[in-house]
Amino acid sequence: MSGPRVRQPRDPAAPLEGARITLCVGGGIAAYKAAQVARLLDKAGAIVDVAMTKRAQKFVGPMTFQALTRRPVFTDLFSLTDEANIGHIQLADTADLVIVAPATANIIARLAAGAADDAVSSVILATKAPVLLAPSMNVNMWSHPLTQANVRRLVDVAGYKTVGPGTGFLACQWNGPGRLAEPTDIVEAAAHYLSVQDLAGVKLVVSAGPTYEAIDPVRFVGNRSSGKMGVALAAAARRRGADVRLILGPSAIPPPLGVTTTSVESAAQMQWALADATKDADVVVMTAAIADYRPAHAADQKIKRGEIGQTMTVELVANPDLLAELGKARGDATRPLLVGFAAETNDVIENARKKLASKRCDLVVANDVGEPGSGFAVDTNHVTLVDRTGAVDVPAGPKSVVAHRILDRVVALRSGR
Ligand code: PMT
């Protein structure tokens, strides 16, 4: 007897790589979206086995999932070939995670009753892997006290996790809660439950994006930050279990799921938001490119070109250095752990070392923003981690991966390493 798979927390930068996921598809219209979930899991490197209820097969054919996963699909508990080739116990035992998408009202009720009468319910009852439910159904079915009680029972008694449902326009023409969570959000939830949770319960604040300092109602002084690096850090910390607050300057990048976000525009607004967010923070990561100067006077009305002439002088005054203020306020205390960035174009490490001391940080992420594929607005970054013990180069890579390498150092510093 082989026995169940030993499940270890995985590298949070790629938790789905080589992970075995059993995707259980229920019989609802959202079953077609489960194909996208299978595709995304496969793309992230997971080995995906699919089990389908009879009703799910009325909405999408098993062939779709077989083509997407390149693996046989388990559809019939009582088929001699299915049970011999795949087997519900094998799917239950080999899984690192079981995802139920869509989890219909009917499946939820049967699971809450401990039923094991088809391919899907028997895999789920037999597994020792974490189970992630992605509910999807009509608004009234979802809000029905019996469905709510069933979900509570699955969460409280069996320890199942949930993602969604979302709120919006449903196939049944109702508008409200009951939409299957977006496939990307289901896959991120899977990544979260497979990842090491080394920041569980840690209150972590991230500042991200640029600030805009108004000249008049239509013009501003700003910079090239897109918010990508800070948003990647917020998402990475959330995946590792942190309670994340993101203070986000003007940015087109959507904030990650499960992160409390405060949108700000100017350095002054960022200062207020930070004062509130950092009160009880364990870690503060200052990725934001906060304007060092702002116009001394912002005009109430648009300044007309004709009123100015050929040259225009904008008097600038210094903004406070928010990170230095946090360092000063912390004094000799050890909390919060302070992480600054240093966007530099020359003498990168040396300048980062100076910022480590002058801003009283625990870690400075030195970012050579002159290097192609690094720094502002691109999807990749190349940084060096500078702290009191030395400087460590992080290989250039996607901001999502670089974010995890920065957080690895945060975890190490928190544990005194
Ligand atoms: O947003 P992206 O397009 O993804 O780009 C990412 C990035 C290049 C903005 C990011 O990787 C980065 O380098 N952020 C720091 C930008 C910056 O303002 O660096 P700085 O060296 O000028 O400032 C040093 C530190 O002081 C930073 O942590 C900054 O947040 C902080 N600061 C700066 C000015 C100010 N008035 N108050 C501050 O707290």
Side-chain angles (χ1 to χ4, degrees), residues 336-387:
L337 189 111
L338 289 178
V339 182
F341 270 67
E344 304 291 343
T345 52
N346 61 293
D347 305 322
V348 178
I349 307 299
E350 195 186 316
N351 285 327
R353 280 207 176 98
K354 284 184 187 153
K355 282 181 180 163
L356 183 76
S358 68
K359 297 180 190 243
R360 303 170 82 162
C361 297
D362 301 289
L363 174 66
V364 166
V365 181
N367 203 165
D368 184 344
V369 292
E371 185 183 315
S374 177
F376 291 101
V378 287
D379 290 328
T380 49
N381 214 355
H382 183 199
V383 302
T384 305
L385 305 181
V386 179
D387 60 27

Side-chain angles (χ1 to χ4, degrees), residues 80-97:
L80 291 177
T81 43
D82 264 20
E83 230 352 71
N85 291 342
I86 314 173
H88 67 285
I89 298 300
Q90 191 191 326
L91 285 194
D93 282 352
T94 53
D96 291 305
L97 179 75

Side-chain angles (χ1 to χ4, degrees), residues 207-210 223-231 251 253 267 270 274 285-293 318-326 339-344 355 359 361 364-369 374-381 383 399:
S207 73
N223 61 66
R224 297 178 197 280
S225 170
S226 62
K228 286 181 182 180
M229 188 66 238
V231 169
S251 165
I253 309 299
M270 191 161 280
L274 274 171
V285 185
M286 293 289 285
T287 319
I290 301 158
D292 285 313
Y293 292 89
N319 272 330
D321 186 324
L322 308 188
L323 178 56
E325 282 188 352
L326 287 172
V339 182
F341 270 67
E344 304 291 343
K355 282 181 180 163
K359 297 180 190 243
C361 297
V364 166
V365 181
N367 203 165
D368 184 344
V369 292
S374 177
F376 291 101
V378 287
D379 290 328
T380 49
N381 214 355
V383 302
K399 284 182 174 168

Side-chain angles (χ1 to χ4, degrees), residues 16 23 30-42 44 99 101-102 132 134-135 163-164 166 179-191 257:
L16 288 157
L23 174 62
Y32 81 95
K33 290 192 190 168
Q36 176 70 355
V37 174
R39 172 85 188 99
L40 293 172
L41 290 168
D42 179 72
I99 302 176
L132 174 63
V163 52
R179 267 172 82 94
L180 185 74
E182 290 305 319
T184 47
D185 292 340
I186 295 173
V187 172
E188 179 50 39
L257 190 75

